[in-house]
Amino acid sequence: MSYNIAIDGPAGAGKSTIAKQVAKNLDFIYVDTGAMYRAIALYLLRNHVEAEEDEKISHFAKSVNVELSYINGEQQVILNGENVSGFIRTEEVGKMASIAAKNKDVRIQLLDLQRNLAKKENVIMDGRDIGTHVLPDADLKIYLTASSGVRANRRYKELQNKGIECCIEEIERDIIARDKQDMERKIAPLKQAEDALLLDSSDMTIEEVVNKITVLFHENCK
Ligand code: DC
């Protein structure tokens, strides 16, 4: 039997940074489902599919092959046999991922892969619909959020550290638009599962959130 932890929440709440560290603490496998949507988005962009071409998105979703592999414990995303992990972290791909994620065939394509991983291994999986849809029986569910201002500020600092010029107001506008798109879509929208614990990280450090989730797991699941 395997243990499953689900972490959902809006863009920029720190899900992946935190889930990665909790996975290390507990010796679990970390599964970043957003990376799978990003890989499909990259495939669509490479094939010049536009946001409003829903039928084309379905067509490409039905033929795409997305897999995960791990190198030194780091998740790699394989798109039709190619490791695309280095190409999926751009704003362009993130925006297209949120659009592609509204499409039924895209979601069907990824659901089995996500569920099968969780069946075999102890996983901590992050995304938008993990607690509500992908792993409704997860042993621990966390809804991790932070105010849009805090999330924008974190993203702004990250980009500045990379030497990328950016405007904080624009980042916050994009974050709010992405939240709206992910929360208002018809299929498996982002929302807190009824049995998920709400963690607002606005005034917490990464370490505090990681410790909190690790303790919650030990208290509730073992
Ligand atoms: O977490 P992220 O920024 O890498 O996710 C990119 C997009 O993928 C996100 O805006 C919505 C979509 N997504 C989803 O619909 N369901 C998931 N479980 C994970 C991501």
mmCIF file of all heavy atoms in Angstrom, residues 22-48:
data_model
loop_
_atom_site.group_PDB
_atom_site.id
_atom_site.type_symbol
_atom_site.label_atom_id
_atom_site.label_comp_id
_atom_site.label_asym_id
_atom_site.label_seq_id
_atom_site.Cartn_x
_atom_site.Cartn_y
_atom_site.Cartn_z
ATOM 1 N N VAL A 22 9.103 18.469 1.129
ATOM 2 C CA VAL A 22 8.364 17.490 1.935
ATOM 3 C C VAL A 22 8.691 16.080 1.410
ATOM 4 O O VAL A 22 8.898 15.144 2.187
ATOM 5 C CB VAL A 22 6.838 17.756 1.890
ATOM 6 C CG1 VAL A 22 6.080 16.662 2.624
ATOM 7 C CG2 VAL A 22 6.504 19.114 2.484
ATOM 8 N N ALA A 23 8.762 15.949 0.080
ATOM 9 C CA ALA A 23 9.086 14.641 -0.519
ATOM 10 C C ALA A 23 10.437 14.154 -0.007
ATOM 11 O O ALA A 23 10.597 12.974 0.321
ATOM 12 C CB ALA A 23 9.089 14.750 -2.043
ATOM 13 N N LYS A 24 11.401 15.062 0.090
ATOM 14 C CA LYS A 24 12.729 14.674 0.612
ATOM 15 C C LYS A 24 12.623 14.229 2.061
ATOM 16 O O LYS A 24 13.167 13.194 2.442
ATOM 17 C CB LYS A 24 13.691 15.863 0.520
ATOM 18 C CG LYS A 24 14.464 15.865 -0.761
ATOM 19 C CD LYS A 24 15.701 16.745 -0.683
ATOM 20 C CE LYS A 24 16.225 16.911 -2.108
ATOM 21 N NZ LYS A 24 16.510 18.282 -2.467
ATOM 22 N N ASN A 25 11.920 15.021 2.884
ATOM 23 C CA ASN A 25 11.764 14.685 4.308
ATOM 24 C C ASN A 25 11.159 13.300 4.505
ATOM 25 O O ASN A 25 11.547 12.566 5.407
ATOM 26 C CB ASN A 25 10.812 15.667 5.011
ATOM 27 C CG ASN A 25 11.444 17.026 5.230
ATOM 28 O OD1 ASN A 25 12.626 17.207 4.939
ATOM 29 N ND2 ASN A 25 10.673 17.981 5.718
ATOM 30 N N LEU A 26 10.176 12.971 3.670
ATOM 31 C CA LEU A 26 9.426 11.722 3.879
ATOM 32 C C LEU A 26 9.907 10.581 2.987
ATOM 33 O O LEU A 26 9.381 9.470 3.060
ATOM 34 C CB LEU A 26 7.927 11.974 3.597
ATOM 35 C CG LEU A 26 7.212 13.000 4.485
ATOM 36 C CD1 LEU A 26 5.792 13.222 3.972
ATOM 37 C CD2 LEU A 26 7.167 12.542 5.939
ATOM 38 N N ASP A 27 10.869 10.895 2.114
ATOM 39 C CA ASP A 27 11.347 9.918 1.130
ATOM 40 C C ASP A 27 10.211 9.464 0.206
ATOM 41 O O ASP A 27 10.023 8.271 -0.041
ATOM 42 C CB ASP A 27 12.010 8.731 1.847
ATOM 43 C CG ASP A 27 12.896 7.945 0.886
ATOM 44 O OD1 ASP A 27 13.270 8.508 -0.150
ATOM 45 O OD2 ASP A 27 13.171 6.766 1.159
ATOM 46 N N PHE A 28 9.447 10.437 -0.262
ATOM 47 C CA PHE A 28 8.356 10.202 -1.209
ATOM 48 C C PHE A 28 8.826 10.653 -2.596
ATOM 49 O O PHE A 28 9.787 11.406 -2.722
ATOM 50 C CB PHE A 28 7.132 11.063 -0.848
ATOM 51 C CG PHE A 28 6.202 10.469 0.170
ATOM 52 C CD1 PHE A 28 6.668 9.618 1.154
ATOM 53 C CD2 PHE A 28 4.853 10.787 0.157
ATOM 54 C CE1 PHE A 28 5.815 9.083 2.110
ATOM 55 C CE2 PHE A 28 3.980 10.266 1.100
ATOM 56 C CZ PHE A 28 4.463 9.420 2.070
ATOM 57 N N ILE A 29 8.072 10.239 -3.615
ATOM 58 C CA ILE A 29 8.316 10.762 -4.960
ATOM 59 C C ILE A 29 7.464 12.007 -5.157
ATOM 60 O O ILE A 29 6.284 12.020 -4.783
ATOM 61 C CB ILE A 29 7.977 9.692 -6.015
ATOM 62 C CG1 ILE A 29 9.059 8.611 -5.960
ATOM 63 C CG2 ILE A 29 7.884 10.296 -7.410
ATOM 64 C CD1 ILE A 29 8.869 7.518 -6.942
ATOM 65 N N TYR A 30 8.081 13.049 -5.696
ATOM 66 C CA TYR A 30 7.342 14.277 -5.961
ATOM 67 C C TYR A 30 6.823 14.257 -7.398
ATOM 68 O O TYR A 30 7.598 14.046 -8.334
ATOM 69 C CB TYR A 30 8.263 15.495 -5.743
ATOM 70 C CG TYR A 30 7.704 16.769 -6.323
ATOM 71 C CD1 TYR A 30 6.428 17.201 -5.977
ATOM 72 C CD2 TYR A 30 8.433 17.536 -7.225
ATOM 73 C CE1 TYR A 30 5.890 18.352 -6.523
ATOM 74 C CE2 TYR A 30 7.902 18.690 -7.773
ATOM 75 C CZ TYR A 30 6.631 19.087 -7.426
ATOM 76 O OH TYR A 30 6.095 20.219 -7.977
ATOM 77 N N VAL A 31 5.529 14.470 -7.559
ATOM 78 C CA VAL A 31 4.951 14.519 -8.911
ATOM 79 C C VAL A 31 4.345 15.901 -9.158
ATOM 80 O O VAL A 31 3.384 16.305 -8.490
ATOM 81 C CB VAL A 31 3.859 13.433 -9.110
ATOM 82 C CG1 VAL A 31 3.304 13.505 -10.527
ATOM 83 C CG2 VAL A 31 4.416 12.045 -8.816
ATOM 84 N N ASP A 32 4.937 16.608 -10.113
ATOM 85 C CA ASP A 32 4.495 17.951 -10.489
ATOM 86 C C ASP A 32 3.574 17.808 -11.706
ATOM 87 O O ASP A 32 4.047 17.657 -12.828
ATOM 88 C CB ASP A 32 5.757 18.771 -10.819
ATOM 89 C CG ASP A 32 5.459 20.099 -11.477
ATOM 90 O OD1 ASP A 32 4.282 20.460 -11.603
ATOM 91 O OD2 ASP A 32 6.433 20.780 -11.856
ATOM 92 N N THR A 33 2.246 17.837 -11.465
ATOM 93 C CA THR A 33 1.327 17.600 -12.591
ATOM 94 C C THR A 33 1.268 18.802 -13.531
ATOM 95 O O THR A 33 0.960 18.654 -14.710
ATOM 96 C CB THR A 33 -0.104 17.246 -12.105
ATOM 97 O OG1 THR A 33 -0.614 18.348 -11.349
ATOM 98 C CG2 THR A 33 -0.110 15.991 -11.277
ATOM 99 N N GLY A 34 1.569 19.989 -13.006
ATOM 100 C CA GLY A 34 1.586 21.176 -13.873
ATOM 101 C C GLY A 34 2.575 20.994 -15.013
ATOM 102 O O GLY A 34 2.332 21.446 -16.141
ATOM 103 N N ALA A 35 3.682 20.299 -14.729
ATOM 104 C CA ALA A 35 4.707 20.081 -15.764
ATOM 105 C C ALA A 35 4.145 19.255 -16.921
ATOM 106 O O ALA A 35 4.542 19.424 -18.070
ATOM 107 C CB ALA A 35 5.920 19.381 -15.149
ATOM 108 N N MET A 36 3.189 18.363 -16.607
ATOM 109 C CA MET A 36 2.584 17.541 -17.666
ATOM 110 C C MET A 36 1.714 18.417 -18.571
ATOM 111 O O MET A 36 1.726 18.280 -19.795
ATOM 112 C CB MET A 36 1.723 16.433 -17.051
ATOM 113 C CG MET A 36 2.483 15.497 -16.129
ATOM 114 S SD MET A 36 1.295 14.307 -15.422
ATOM 115 C CE MET A 36 2.336 13.468 -14.278
ATOM 116 N N TYR A 37 0.931 19.311 -17.947
ATOM 117 C CA TYR A 37 0.119 20.239 -18.755
ATOM 118 C C TYR A 37 1.025 21.169 -19.565
ATOM 119 O O TYR A 37 0.725 21.519 -20.705
ATOM 120 C CB TYR A 37 -0.828 21.052 -17.851
ATOM 121 C CG TYR A 37 -1.955 20.202 -17.337
ATOM 122 C CD1 TYR A 37 -1.855 19.541 -16.119
ATOM 123 C CD2 TYR A 37 -3.109 20.005 -18.104
ATOM 124 C CE1 TYR A 37 -2.870 18.711 -15.660
ATOM 125 C CE2 TYR A 37 -4.130 19.180 -17.654
ATOM 126 C CZ TYR A 37 -3.998 18.536 -16.429
ATOM 127 O OH TYR A 37 -5.002 17.707 -15.992
ATOM 128 N N ARG A 38 2.138 21.548 -18.963
ATOM 129 C CA ARG A 38 3.088 22.417 -19.677
ATOM 130 C C ARG A 38 3.693 21.688 -20.885
ATOM 131 O O ARG A 38 3.929 22.297 -21.929
ATOM 132 C CB ARG A 38 4.193 22.883 -18.726
ATOM 133 C CG ARG A 38 3.728 23.974 -17.773
ATOM 134 C CD ARG A 38 4.760 24.283 -16.707
ATOM 135 N NE ARG A 38 4.276 25.296 -15.790
ATOM 136 C CZ ARG A 38 4.543 26.597 -15.888
ATOM 137 N NH1 ARG A 38 5.354 27.045 -16.825
ATOM 138 N NH2 ARG A 38 4.042 27.465 -15.016
ATOM 139 N N ALA A 39 3.968 20.385 -20.741
ATOM 140 C CA ALA A 39 4.543 19.634 -21.862
ATOM 141 C C ALA A 39 3.556 19.600 -23.029
ATOM 142 O O ALA A 39 3.932 19.810 -24.191
ATOM 143 C CB ALA A 39 4.896 18.214 -21.416
ATOM 144 N N ILE A 40 2.269 19.386 -22.712
ATOM 145 C CA ILE A 40 1.261 19.388 -23.789
ATOM 146 C C ILE A 40 1.165 20.787 -24.407
ATOM 147 O O ILE A 40 1.068 20.945 -25.626
ATOM 148 C CB ILE A 40 -0.107 18.904 -23.261
ATOM 149 C CG1 ILE A 40 0.005 17.416 -22.907
ATOM 150 C CG2 ILE A 40 -1.209 19.150 -24.302
ATOM 151 C CD1 ILE A 40 -1.292 16.723 -22.556
ATOM 152 N N ALA A 41 1.250 21.812 -23.558
ATOM 153 C CA ALA A 41 1.201 23.197 -24.067
ATOM 154 C C ALA A 41 2.363 23.461 -25.020
ATOM 155 O O ALA A 41 2.193 24.082 -26.074
ATOM 156 C CB ALA A 41 1.235 24.176 -22.898
ATOM 157 N N LEU A 42 3.533 22.959 -24.678
ATOM 158 C CA LEU A 42 4.705 23.144 -25.549
ATOM 159 C C LEU A 42 4.457 22.470 -26.906
ATOM 160 O O LEU A 42 4.762 23.035 -27.958
ATOM 161 C CB LEU A 42 5.942 22.544 -24.865
ATOM 162 C CG LEU A 42 7.248 22.656 -25.637
ATOM 163 C CD1 LEU A 42 7.725 24.116 -25.698
ATOM 164 C CD2 LEU A 42 8.355 21.797 -24.989
ATOM 165 N N TYR A 43 3.889 21.280 -26.840
ATOM 166 C CA TYR A 43 3.569 20.535 -28.068
ATOM 167 C C TYR A 43 2.599 21.346 -28.939
ATOM 168 O O TYR A 43 2.773 21.461 -30.158
ATOM 169 C CB TYR A 43 2.950 19.202 -27.646
ATOM 170 C CG TYR A 43 2.638 18.227 -28.736
ATOM 171 C CD1 TYR A 43 3.582 17.870 -29.699
ATOM 172 C CD2 TYR A 43 1.381 17.613 -28.787
ATOM 173 C CE1 TYR A 43 3.270 16.933 -30.685
ATOM 174 C CE2 TYR A 43 1.075 16.682 -29.765
ATOM 175 C CZ TYR A 43 2.023 16.349 -30.712
ATOM 176 O OH TYR A 43 1.719 15.430 -31.676
ATOM 177 N N LEU A 44 1.596 21.955 -28.297
ATOM 178 C CA LEU A 44 0.617 22.760 -29.045
ATOM 179 C C LEU A 44 1.286 23.988 -29.649
ATOM 180 O O LEU A 44 1.059 24.327 -30.809
ATOM 181 C CB LEU A 44 -0.521 23.195 -28.105
ATOM 182 C CG LEU A 44 -1.383 22.066 -27.525
ATOM 183 C CD1 LEU A 44 -2.337 22.608 -26.457
ATOM 184 C CD2 LEU A 44 -2.180 21.366 -28.631
ATOM 185 N N LEU A 45 2.129 24.645 -28.861
ATOM 186 C CA LEU A 45 2.803 25.852 -29.368
ATOM 187 C C LEU A 45 3.720 25.500 -30.538
ATOM 188 O O LEU A 45 3.775 26.224 -31.536
ATOM 189 C CB LEU A 45 3.619 26.527 -28.242
ATOM 190 C CG LEU A 45 2.795 27.218 -27.147
ATOM 191 C CD1 LEU A 45 3.671 27.578 -25.950
ATOM 192 C CD2 LEU A 45 2.108 28.476 -27.694
ATOM 193 N N ARG A 46 4.426 24.391 -30.398
ATOM 194 C CA ARG A 46 5.334 23.983 -31.477
ATOM 195 C C ARG A 46 4.560 23.675 -32.756
ATOM 196 O O ARG A 46 5.096 23.774 -33.847
ATOM 197 C CB ARG A 46 6.130 22.736 -31.051
ATOM 198 C CG ARG A 46 7.279 23.053 -30.109
ATOM 199 C CD ARG A 46 7.957 21.751 -29.723
ATOM 200 N NE ARG A 46 9.172 21.968 -28.950
ATOM 201 C CZ ARG A 46 9.920 20.975 -28.472
ATOM 202 N NH1 ARG A 46 9.584 19.719 -28.695
ATOM 203 N NH2 ARG A 46 11.009 21.238 -27.793
ATOM 204 N N ASN A 47 3.298 23.264 -32.587
ATOM 205 C CA ASN A 47 2.480 22.950 -33.756
ATOM 206 C C ASN A 47 1.571 24.122 -34.152
ATOM 207 O O ASN A 47 0.612 23.945 -34.906
ATOM 208 C CB ASN A 47 1.656 21.690 -33.506
ATOM 209 C CG ASN A 47 2.522 20.441 -33.607
ATOM 210 O OD1 ASN A 47 2.889 20.014 -34.693
ATOM 211 N ND2 ASN A 47 2.908 19.893 -32.464
ATOM 212 N N HIS A 48 1.884 25.296 -33.598
ATOM 213 C CA HIS A 48 1.187 26.543 -33.938
ATOM 214 C C HIS A 48 -0.323 26.479 -33.698
ATOM 215 O O HIS A 48 -1.104 27.048 -34.461
ATOM 216 C CB HIS A 48 1.470 26.936 -35.403
ATOM 217 C CG HIS A 48 2.931 26.872 -35.724
ATOM 218 N ND1 HIS A 48 3.829 27.794 -35.240
ATOM 219 C CD2 HIS A 48 3.662 25.967 -36.417
ATOM 220 C CE1 HIS A 48 5.043 27.464 -35.629
ATOM 221 N NE2 HIS A 48 4.978 26.352 -36.339
#
